[in-house]
Amino acid sequence: MDRRQMISAAALAAMGTMTLAPGRAAAATSAKRAAESFVAAKDGTSLFVRDWGAGQPVLFLSGWALPSDFWGYQMLGLARKGYRAIAYDRRGHGRSADPGRGYDHDTLADDLASVIGSLGIENATIVAHSMGGTEVARYFARHGGRGIARVVLVGTITPFLMKSPDNPAGVDPAALAGGAALLARDFPAWIAANTPPFFTSDTSPSMVRWGQDMMMSTSLLGAAQLAAANFATDFRPDVRKIGVPTLLIHGDRDVSAPLALTARATAALLPQATLHVYEGAPHGLPLTHVERLTADLLGFVAAR
């Protein structure tokens, strides 16, 4: 289970000030996208998409119980540098529909395929936080990674969280039973209890409250089912299918996804992986290390 994945985001009124690639092509593309703010998944579920800027595509996936707003700061930074920054709300999150079904990784990988196909995304960098890394891995296993040329995993929970005979460093299910029960009984209390480790001590109270409010908008059914699936699913076979250059970025104070259990173990499965460790960073480093993460993303995408 992805135990302390809290959220916050940047719903940016400043979008209007972005410096984007000029010209008729960019204007035409933007006009076309206005009708594509929602994409229909394979089963008809409506998925909300935000699509900023023009140029080489960078697709963002948020973590468990996080809407696409979570990536606003990095999306703004990339869009201002001439990239097309795209993110969508997974089913049951944010503005996407809550169909009461499909809260499994095969369906989520198919949802990702629907977004990539509908938006005509090619040669993209995909940037995934936390649970988003499981969707990327399953997408490569299930769809061959179509349209994706590079991967960035930020605070990933891959490859396998649960303790088992061949994963002795994993987390004992008994240690999480109480948290799972609290989530199902009192989601706001679960959020409050798990907020502090997600942020740094200097995170503003307003940002913390915003994150808590946004998290509570997630489908409770989706949150509960995905939390259980994230914890119990062995993604090692899926991760091995990622056959493109991969950058892993992880905080050494991430209590939701301990570094050795997640990012280091994932990097060991990927011949083309590079691991950057942020000293003192928690699980929510897209919000606590905004400038550094944005710079690292720009460097990775530009080095293609």
Side-chain angles (χ1 to χ4, degrees):
M1 175 178 172
D2 195 5
R3 295 167 288 168
R4 292 181 173 91
Q5 292 193 16
M6 299 304 303
I7 70 165
S8 191
L12 298 166
M15 275 185 64
T17 66
M18 290 194 301
T19 302
L20 303 179
R24 242 178 243 182
T29 300
S30 296
K32 179 181 178 182
R33 284 187 221 145
E36 298 176 347
S37 56
F38 287 89
V39 164
K42 185 178 178 181
D43 66 355
T45 299
S46 182
L47 304 174
F48 172 75
V49 178
R50 58 184 71 228
D51 195 343
W52 300 352
Q56 192 69 22
V58 181
L59 175 61
F60 292 84
L61 297 180
S62 299
W64 176 80
L66 301 170
S68 57
D69 305 71
F70 176 75
W71 280 114
Y73 293 123
Q74 285 73 39
M75 290 181 67
L76 180 62
L78 267 69
R80 282 177 165 167
K81 291 294 185 179
Y83 293 95
R84 180 184 176 191
I86 308 160
Y88 70 96
D89 296 341
R90 73 170 56 82
R91 60 178 60 217
H93 293 60
R95 302 187 201 180
S96 291
D98 176 10
R101 64 183 184 277
Y103 298 115
D104 61 85
H105 288 89
D106 283 352
T107 300
L108 296 182
D110 291 349
D111 289 352
L112 175 55
S114 294
V115 171
I116 289 173
S118 295
L119 299 185
I121 295 172
E122 297 179 354
N123 196 35
T125 299
I126 192 164
V127 183
H129 175 254
S130 194
M131 176 193 161
T134 70
E135 290 165 289
V136 171
R138 185 58 55 88
Y139 178 73
F140 271 83
R142 193 167 171 86
H143 296 278
R146 179 176 54 85
I148 304 303
R150 289 159 299 278
V151 169
V152 182
L153 302 177
V154 181
T156 187
I157 64 167
T158 55
F160 190 22
L161 293 175
M162 188 172 69
K163 186 175 183 178
S164 67
D166 66 345
N167 192 40
V171 179
D172 190 328
L176 301 182
L182 179 61
L183 187 154
R185 183 180 71 253
D186 191 341
F187 194 26
W190 187 98
I191 292 171
N194 289 278
T195 296
F198 188 84
F199 296 104
T200 54
S201 60
D202 60 352
T203 305
S204 73
S206 297
M207 178 70 83
V208 172
R209 286 193 300 270
W210 187 19
Q212 291 173 326
D213 290 343
M214 294 180 67
M215 191 174 191
M216 283 188 287
S217 69
T218 303
S219 161
L220 183 57
L221 175 66
Q225 291 186 352
L226 289 173
N230 288 339
F231 178 65
T233 304
D234 182 354
F235 293 102
R236 288 175 292 188
D238 303 276
V239 167
R240 291 187 180 98
K241 298 292 186 180
I242 300 176
V244 299
T246 301
L247 173 64
L248 294 101
I249 299 176
H250 214 93
D252 66 357
R253 293 189 180 179
D254 190 330
V255 298
S256 303
L259 176 62
L261 179 63
T262 58
R264 290 200 190 282
T266 298
L269 299 175
L270 297 173
Q272 299 186 66
T274 301
L275 172 62
H276 289 182
V277 177
Y278 286 13
E279 184 177 354
H283 197 55
L285 56 83
L287 302 178
T288 60
H289 293 67
V290 173
E291 293 82 5
R292 181 178 178 182
L293 179 56
T294 302
D296 281 348
L297 293 178
L298 284 167
F300 184 66
V301 174
R304 65 183 182 273

